[in-house]
Amino acid sequence: MTPEEIQKTKETFIDYCHKYIQREGLEKLLDYLEKSDFFTAPSSASYHLNEEGGLCRHSINVFETAMTLYENVVKPAIESGNSPFTEPLKTESIAIAALFHDLCKTSMYRRTEKYKKDEHGRWVTYPGYEIDEKLPFGHGEKSCLIICWMMKLSEEELLAIRWHMGMFDMAENGSAQRYSFRSAMERSPLVALLQAADMLTANVMEKTTKH
Ligand SMILES: [Fe+2]
Ligand SMILES: [Fe+2]
């Protein structure tokens, strides 16, 4: 992303926060993000939006996908009476869960030189990112923790952010954790909504820069 695109993306993110979130602590959280690398960090080291500004762009994309899925899939199901859920979601909860779900990735990626072979089989370097995890607290868990330093989260927001990696988190875990994951999804439609929005956004809507 160009510096102009990064600046525009930052403005969109802050506009969305002010438009959809009225909760106490928002300004403190935005101040924290301003002082971190949130607006310039990549979304991943080697996968979706692995470029400067990617994390903020991904957070916006997940929110927009979540709103589309909510309006077109989740809300009609709730209103039709076919869903196990009867209460509609608040837009503020969708915004908080989606816009802040990956705050765990702030201050986590470090620029580095990576190596690959060129067409002649010679080793050459290219610019990339590596992970430098300073607070190894878990992925969704760490996002919840950072947000809670500045803003209170509802139970459904906590569960949605905690479990947003879905089955990616489950593969190596035991039955107790699988039970928690399953139970969390039964508590609120926000849990499955955020997983679906994140999965679709990262894998269908966002490119990986290949060197
Ligand atoms: Fe994530
Ligand atoms: Fe994500």
Side-chain angles (χ1 to χ4, degrees):
M1 288 166 74
T2 65
E4 292 74 30
E5 287 169 334
I6 291 170
Q7 180 60 26
K8 208 161 175 291
T9 304
K10 177 180 176 178
E11 286 166 15
T12 303
F13 182 89
I14 293 170
D15 283 351
Y16 276 174
C17 286
H18 286 141
K19 185 171 175 193
Y20 296 108
I21 303 170
Q22 271 73 48
R23 197 165 306 171
E24 197 182 333
L26 176 65
E27 293 312 316
K28 273 190 187 166
L29 188 50
L30 287 175
D31 189 48
Y32 173 89
L33 296 182
E34 181 72 49
K35 288 170 182 156
S36 77
D37 66 352
F38 177 77
F39 295 109
T40 54
S43 186
S44 70
S46 312
Y47 299 102
H48 62 112
L49 292 184
N50 55 334
E51 58 183 299
E52 198 172 351
L55 178 56
C56 181
R57 183 71 253 170
H58 169 69
S59 305
I60 291 168
N61 291 346
V62 172
F63 173 58
E64 291 176 348
T65 304
M67 286 304 292
T68 303
L69 288 175
Y70 181 67
E71 291 298 332
N72 293 287
V73 179
V74 179
K75 195 169 151 206
I78 292 171
E79 288 173 351
S80 73
N82 291 325
S83 170
F85 300 105
T86 53
E87 293 294 315
L89 288 173
K90 294 188 187 79
T91 304
E92 182 177 63
S93 288
I94 300 173
I96 288 172
L99 291 170
F100 302 144
H101 77 283
D102 271 341
L103 291 200
C104 57
K105 294 178 177 175
T106 53
S107 311
M108 193 172 105
Y109 297 109
R110 186 167 57 193
R111 284 184 183 282
T112 186
E113 294 236 298
K114 293 196 168 180
Y115 293 87
K116 64 170 184 177
K117 281 190 174 172
D118 67 9
E119 64 271 26
H120 307 294
R122 286 182 303 229
W123 287 104
V124 292
T125 61
Y126 66 95
Y129 290 98
E130 64 184 3
I131 293 174
D132 175 25
E133 178 57 277
K134 297 171 193 73
L135 181 59
F137 197 68
H139 186 85
E141 297 93 322
K142 187 177 157 194
S143 292
C144 289
L145 178 71
I146 292 172
I147 303 164
C148 286
W149 284 338
M150 285 148 282
M151 178 189 277
K152 280 202 176 124
L153 292 175
S154 68
E155 183 182 293
E156 67 181 349
E157 292 157 4
L158 280 167
L159 292 174
I161 297 167
R162 159 64 183 95
W163 294 109
H164 80 261
M165 294 298 280
M167 294 310 290
F168 281 107
D169 252 358
M170 282 300 106
E172 293 163 10
N173 285 308
S175 58
Q177 195 142 359
R178 287 199 296 274
Y179 177 78
S180 297
F181 171 65
R182 185 69 239 160
S183 302
M185 285 207 291
E186 289 170 0
R187 294 290 177 89
S188 165
L190 187 59
V191 181
L193 176 64
L194 184 60
Q195 281 172 47
D198 191 36
M199 172 79 86
L200 281 172
T201 302
N203 293 286
V204 178
M205 299 164 61
E206 297 179 342
K207 285 186 177 168
T208 299
T209 302
K210 297 213 163 71
H211 295 271

